[in-house]
Tab-separated table of all heavy atoms in Angstrom:
chain	number	residue	atom	x	y	z
R	15	THR	N	-1.632	-11.150	4.029
R	15	THR	CA	-1.088	-11.831	5.208
R	15	THR	C	-0.268	-10.870	6.076
R	15	THR	O	0.074	-11.267	7.184
R	15	THR	CB	-0.135	-12.992	4.709
R	15	THR	OG1	0.968	-12.471	3.922
R	15	THR	CG2	-0.897	-14.034	3.923
R	16	GLY	N	0.086	-9.631	5.640
R	16	GLY	CA	0.889	-8.744	6.578
R	16	GLY	C	1.426	-7.606	5.901
R	16	GLY	O	1.412	-7.507	4.726
R	17	ILE	N	2.034	-6.788	6.729
R	17	ILE	CA	2.671	-5.431	6.309
R	17	ILE	C	4.061	-5.700	5.829
R	17	ILE	O	4.848	-6.405	6.527
R	17	ILE	CB	2.546	-4.383	7.396
R	17	ILE	CG1	1.102	-3.950	7.704
R	17	ILE	CG2	3.437	-3.242	6.928
R	17	ILE	CD1	0.968	-3.107	8.800
R	18	LEU	N	4.450	-5.099	4.641
R	18	LEU	CA	5.801	-5.349	4.199
R	18	LEU	C	6.700	-4.314	4.055
R	18	LEU	O	8.006	-4.369	3.927
R	18	LEU	CB	5.648	-5.990	2.673
R	18	LEU	CG	4.705	-7.247	2.510
R	18	LEU	CD1	4.481	-7.578	1.158
R	18	LEU	CD2	5.284	-8.350	3.332
R	19	LEU	N	6.251	-3.054	4.140
R	19	LEU	CA	7.061	-1.846	3.937
R	19	LEU	C	6.763	-0.899	5.234
R	19	LEU	O	5.697	-0.903	5.821
R	19	LEU	CB	6.723	-1.096	2.559
R	19	LEU	CG	6.965	-1.825	1.397
R	19	LEU	CD1	6.534	-0.972	0.142
R	19	LEU	CD2	8.441	-2.269	1.203
R	20	ASN	N	7.741	-0.023	5.384
R	20	ASN	CA	7.513	1.013	6.447
R	20	ASN	C	7.154	2.388	5.862
R	20	ASN	O	7.076	2.417	4.616
R	20	ASN	CB	8.849	1.108	7.273
R	20	ASN	CG	10.027	1.601	6.440
R	20	ASN	OD1	9.905	2.204	5.311
R	20	ASN	ND2	11.204	1.181	6.816
R	21	ALA	N	6.904	3.364	6.695
R	21	ALA	CA	6.461	4.634	6.315
R	21	ALA	C	7.429	5.391	5.365
R	21	ALA	O	6.964	6.115	4.446
R	21	ALA	CB	6.087	5.508	7.529
R	22	ALA	N	8.724	5.211	5.628
R	22	ALA	CA	9.727	5.921	4.849
R	22	ALA	C	9.635	5.482	3.385
R	22	ALA	O	9.817	6.216	2.430
R	22	ALA	CB	11.121	5.554	5.342
R	23	VAL	N	9.263	4.323	3.138
R	23	VAL	CA	9.165	3.712	1.820
R	23	VAL	C	7.785	3.871	1.226
R	23	VAL	O	7.599	4.390	0.077
R	23	VAL	CB	9.678	2.161	1.746
R	23	VAL	CG1	9.421	1.670	0.294
R	23	VAL	CG2	11.001	2.094	2.162
R	24	ALA	N	6.790	3.495	1.991
R	24	ALA	CA	5.444	3.416	1.695
R	24	ALA	C	4.724	4.822	1.510
R	24	ALA	O	3.886	5.065	0.830
R	24	ALA	CB	4.691	2.443	2.437
R	25	GLY	N	5.124	5.792	2.616
R	25	GLY	CA	4.400	6.936	2.915
R	25	GLY	C	3.477	6.667	4.064
R	25	GLY	O	3.053	5.585	4.359
R	26	ASP	N	3.279	7.704	4.810
R	26	ASP	CA	2.463	7.638	6.149
R	26	ASP	C	1.074	7.156	5.937
R	26	ASP	O	0.632	6.290	6.682
R	26	ASP	CB	2.555	8.760	6.960
R	26	ASP	CG	2.179	10.083	6.228
R	26	ASP	OD1	1.601	10.064	5.104
R	26	ASP	OD2	2.509	11.191	6.714
R	27	GLU	N	0.385	7.657	4.977
R	27	GLU	CA	-1.071	7.405	4.798
R	27	GLU	C	-1.254	5.857	4.327
R	27	GLU	O	-2.156	5.226	4.887
R	27	GLU	CB	-1.669	8.337	3.877
R	27	GLU	CG	-1.850	9.731	4.486
R	27	GLU	CD	-2.370	10.802	3.550
R	27	GLU	OE1	-2.439	10.471	2.331
R	27	GLU	OE2	-2.654	11.929	3.976
R	28	PRO	N	-0.493	5.494	3.254
R	28	PRO	CA	-0.581	4.049	2.943
R	28	PRO	C	-0.315	2.962	4.058
R	28	PRO	O	-0.996	2.035	4.216
R	28	PRO	CB	0.332	3.881	1.701
R	28	PRO	CG	0.395	5.275	1.093
R	28	PRO	CD	0.381	6.184	2.262
R	29	LEU	N	0.740	3.382	4.846
R	29	LEU	CA	1.071	2.520	6.011
R	29	LEU	C	-0.079	2.517	7.009
R	29	LEU	O	-0.480	1.523	7.545
R	29	LEU	CB	2.356	2.869	6.569
R	29	LEU	CG	2.750	2.047	7.815
R	29	LEU	CD1	2.881	0.563	7.419
R	29	LEU	CD2	4.047	2.579	8.457
R	30	LEU	N	-0.704	3.670	7.274
R	30	LEU	CA	-1.919	3.773	8.201
R	30	LEU	C	-2.980	2.952	7.677
R	30	LEU	O	-3.645	2.258	8.517
R	30	LEU	CB	-2.215	5.216	8.367
R	30	LEU	CG	-3.471	5.603	9.246
R	30	LEU	CD1	-3.268	4.887	10.684
R	30	LEU	CD2	-3.691	7.018	9.531
R	31	ILE	N	-3.249	3.034	6.405
R	31	ILE	CA	-4.399	2.330	5.834
R	31	ILE	C	-4.146	0.836	6.036
R	31	ILE	O	-4.989	-0.057	6.345
R	31	ILE	CB	-4.596	2.643	4.361
R	31	ILE	CG1	-5.036	4.156	4.196
R	31	ILE	CG2	-5.565	1.719	3.677
R	31	ILE	CD1	-5.000	4.691	2.665
R	32	ALA	N	-2.882	0.388	5.619
R	32	ALA	CA	-2.520	-1.050	5.788
R	32	ALA	C	-2.682	-1.494	7.253
R	32	ALA	O	-3.211	-2.681	7.410
R	32	ALA	CB	-1.120	-1.201	5.329
R	33	ARG	N	-2.302	-0.733	8.215
R	33	ARG	CA	-2.371	-1.149	9.640
R	33	ARG	C	-3.849	-1.200	10.039
R	33	ARG	O	-4.187	-2.011	10.991
R	33	ARG	CB	-1.572	-0.349	10.505
R	33	ARG	CG	-0.041	-0.455	10.356
R	33	ARG	CD	0.742	0.191	11.446
R	33	ARG	NE	2.075	-0.108	11.304
R	33	ARG	CZ	3.016	0.312	12.292
R	33	ARG	NH1	2.560	0.965	13.359
R	33	ARG	NH2	4.226	-0.049	12.177
R	34	SER	N	-4.710	-0.375	9.389
R	34	SER	CA	-6.096	-0.285	9.857
R	34	SER	C	-6.846	-1.389	9.058
R	34	SER	O	-7.996	-1.694	9.621
R	34	SER	CB	-6.586	1.033	9.442
R	34	SER	OG	-5.952	2.077	10.175
R	35	LEU	N	-6.325	-2.005	8.094
R	35	LEU	CA	-7.162	-3.005	7.288
R	35	LEU	C	-6.374	-4.308	7.081
R	35	LEU	O	-5.964	-4.554	6.056
R	35	LEU	CB	-7.385	-2.328	5.963
R	35	LEU	CG	-8.332	-1.181	5.913
R	35	LEU	CD1	-8.410	-0.619	4.512
R	35	LEU	CD2	-9.731	-1.532	6.327
R	36	PRO	N	-6.261	-5.117	8.218
R	36	PRO	CA	-5.533	-6.370	8.072
R	36	PRO	C	-6.270	-7.371	6.945
R	36	PRO	O	-7.512	-7.313	6.898
R	36	PRO	CB	-5.741	-7.010	9.392
R	36	PRO	CG	-5.995	-5.931	10.307
R	36	PRO	CD	-6.726	-4.811	9.521
R	37	GLY	N	-5.476	-7.838	6.160
R	37	GLY	CA	-6.033	-8.756	5.117
R	37	GLY	C	-6.448	-7.950	3.757
R	37	GLY	O	-6.657	-8.553	2.785
R	38	VAL	N	-6.292	-6.663	3.701
R	38	VAL	CA	-6.511	-5.852	2.589
R	38	VAL	C	-5.205	-5.426	1.875
R	38	VAL	O	-4.468	-4.692	2.518
R	38	VAL	CB	-7.339	-4.591	2.753
R	38	VAL	CG1	-7.576	-3.798	1.629
R	38	VAL	CG2	-8.723	-5.014	3.407
R	39	PRO	N	-4.831	-5.910	0.677
R	39	PRO	CA	-3.650	-5.356	0.033
R	39	PRO	C	-3.627	-3.956	-0.148
R	39	PRO	O	-4.628	-3.272	-0.516
R	39	PRO	CB	-3.602	-6.206	-1.214
R	39	PRO	CG	-4.569	-7.296	-0.990
R	39	PRO	CD	-5.651	-6.871	-0.128
R	40	VAL	N	-2.613	-3.269	0.087
R	40	VAL	CA	-2.337	-1.893	-0.162
R	40	VAL	C	-1.093	-1.706	-1.029
R	40	VAL	O	0.004	-2.252	-0.708
R	40	VAL	CB	-2.101	-1.078	1.100
R	40	VAL	CG1	-1.828	0.447	0.795
R	40	VAL	CG2	-3.326	-1.238	2.053
R	41	LEU	N	-1.258	-1.128	-2.249
R	41	LEU	CA	-0.036	-0.977	-3.139
R	41	LEU	C	0.140	0.520	-3.562
R	41	LEU	O	-0.975	1.306	-3.548
R	41	LEU	CB	-0.382	-1.730	-4.485
R	41	LEU	CG	-0.458	-3.301	-4.358
R	41	LEU	CD1	-1.853	-3.730	-3.964
R	41	LEU	CD2	-0.168	-3.915	-5.644
R	42	THR	N	1.299	0.930	-3.787
R	42	THR	CA	1.571	2.299	-4.076
R	42	THR	C	2.430	2.226	-5.451
R	42	THR	O	3.082	1.232	-5.805
R	42	THR	CB	2.346	3.058	-3.124
R	42	THR	OG1	3.697	2.408	-2.989
R	42	THR	CG2	1.666	3.108	-1.840
R	43	GLY	N	2.480	3.389	-6.217
R	43	GLY	CA	3.173	3.375	-7.337
R	43	GLY	C	2.792	4.591	-8.157
R	43	GLY	O	1.585	5.127	-8.012
R	44	PRO	N	3.574	5.165	-9.049
R	44	PRO	CA	3.263	6.305	-9.820
R	44	PRO	C	2.128	6.116	-10.900
R	44	PRO	O	1.453	7.039	-11.255
R	44	PRO	CB	4.509	6.802	-10.462
R	44	PRO	CG	5.424	5.514	-10.554
R	44	PRO	CD	5.012	4.738	-9.334
R	45	LYS	N	1.997	4.932	-11.379
R	45	LYS	CA	1.063	4.628	-12.366
R	45	LYS	C	-0.014	3.732	-11.817
R	45	LYS	O	0.157	2.571	-11.621
R	45	LYS	CB	1.691	3.922	-13.603
R	45	LYS	CG	2.707	4.750	-14.357
R	45	LYS	CD	3.281	4.059	-15.626
R	45	LYS	CE	4.162	4.844	-16.397
R	45	LYS	NZ	4.726	4.140	-17.678
R	46	ARG	N	-1.238	4.377	-11.563
R	46	ARG	CA	-2.272	3.549	-10.863
R	46	ARG	C	-2.813	2.451	-11.684
R	46	ARG	O	-3.294	1.470	-11.146
R	46	ARG	CB	-3.302	4.620	-10.491
R	46	ARG	CG	-2.924	5.699	-9.384
R	46	ARG	CD	-3.986	6.670	-9.135
R	46	ARG	NE	-3.456	7.925	-8.650
R	46	ARG	CZ	-3.541	8.326	-7.479
R	46	ARG	NH1	-4.081	7.468	-6.534
R	46	ARG	NH2	-3.157	9.486	-7.114
R	47	THR	N	-2.743	2.584	-13.004
R	47	THR	CA	-3.214	1.528	-13.795
R	47	THR	C	-2.428	0.259	-13.644
R	47	THR	O	-2.848	-0.898	-13.603
R	47	THR	CB	-3.266	1.889	-15.326
R	47	THR	OG1	-1.877	2.414	-15.615
R	47	THR	CG2	-4.198	2.884	-15.677
R	48	LEU	N	-1.083	0.494	-13.394
R	48	LEU	CA	-0.206	-0.680	-13.228
R	48	LEU	C	-0.250	-1.235	-11.783
R	48	LEU	O	-0.447	-2.421	-11.601
R	48	LEU	CB	1.358	-0.166	-13.312
R	48	LEU	CG	2.358	-1.231	-13.179
R	48	LEU	CD1	2.154	-2.435	-14.166
R	48	LEU	CD2	3.719	-0.537	-13.386
R	49	THR	N	-0.445	-0.376	-10.826
R	49	THR	CA	-0.772	-0.891	-9.391
R	49	THR	C	-2.052	-1.557	-9.296
R	49	THR	O	-2.238	-2.571	-8.695
R	49	THR	CB	-0.558	0.211	-8.352
R	49	THR	OG1	-1.543	1.317	-8.708
R	49	THR	CG2	0.802	0.752	-8.271
R	50	GLY	N	-3.107	-0.949	-10.042
R	50	GLY	CA	-4.324	-1.644	-9.960
R	50	GLY	C	-4.303	-3.084	-10.679
R	50	GLY	O	-4.960	-4.016	-10.121
R	51	GLN	N	-3.718	-3.108	-11.788
R	51	GLN	CA	-3.704	-4.364	-12.445
R	51	GLN	C	-2.938	-5.423	-11.660
R	51	GLN	O	-3.278	-6.616	-11.624
R	51	GLN	CB	-3.054	-4.218	-13.828
R	51	GLN	CG	-3.257	-5.439	-14.852
R	51	GLN	CD	-4.730	-5.852	-15.034
R	51	GLN	OE1	-5.486	-4.906	-15.365
R	51	GLN	NE2	-5.081	-7.025	-14.715
R	52	THR	N	-1.846	-4.994	-11.012
R	52	THR	CA	-1.069	-5.874	-10.174
R	52	THR	C	-1.898	-6.381	-9.014
R	52	THR	O	-1.760	-7.608	-8.646
R	52	THR	CB	0.201	-5.143	-9.601
R	52	THR	OG1	1.000	-4.646	-10.709
R	52	THR	CG2	1.068	-6.022	-8.677
R	53	ALA	N	-2.700	-5.537	-8.451
R	53	ALA	CA	-3.654	-5.978	-7.322
R	53	ALA	C	-4.587	-7.086	-7.812
R	53	ALA	O	-4.843	-8.013	-7.148
R	53	ALA	CB	-4.364	-4.832	-6.735
């Protein structure tokens, strides 16, 4: 439904992806298995 974090927290590339893909969840984190399962 929308963007929740800014570039300082999310990183510039994840934020750019989020802005380019409305409706597509974008998640970050050090453990991709955890971020993937959360998605």
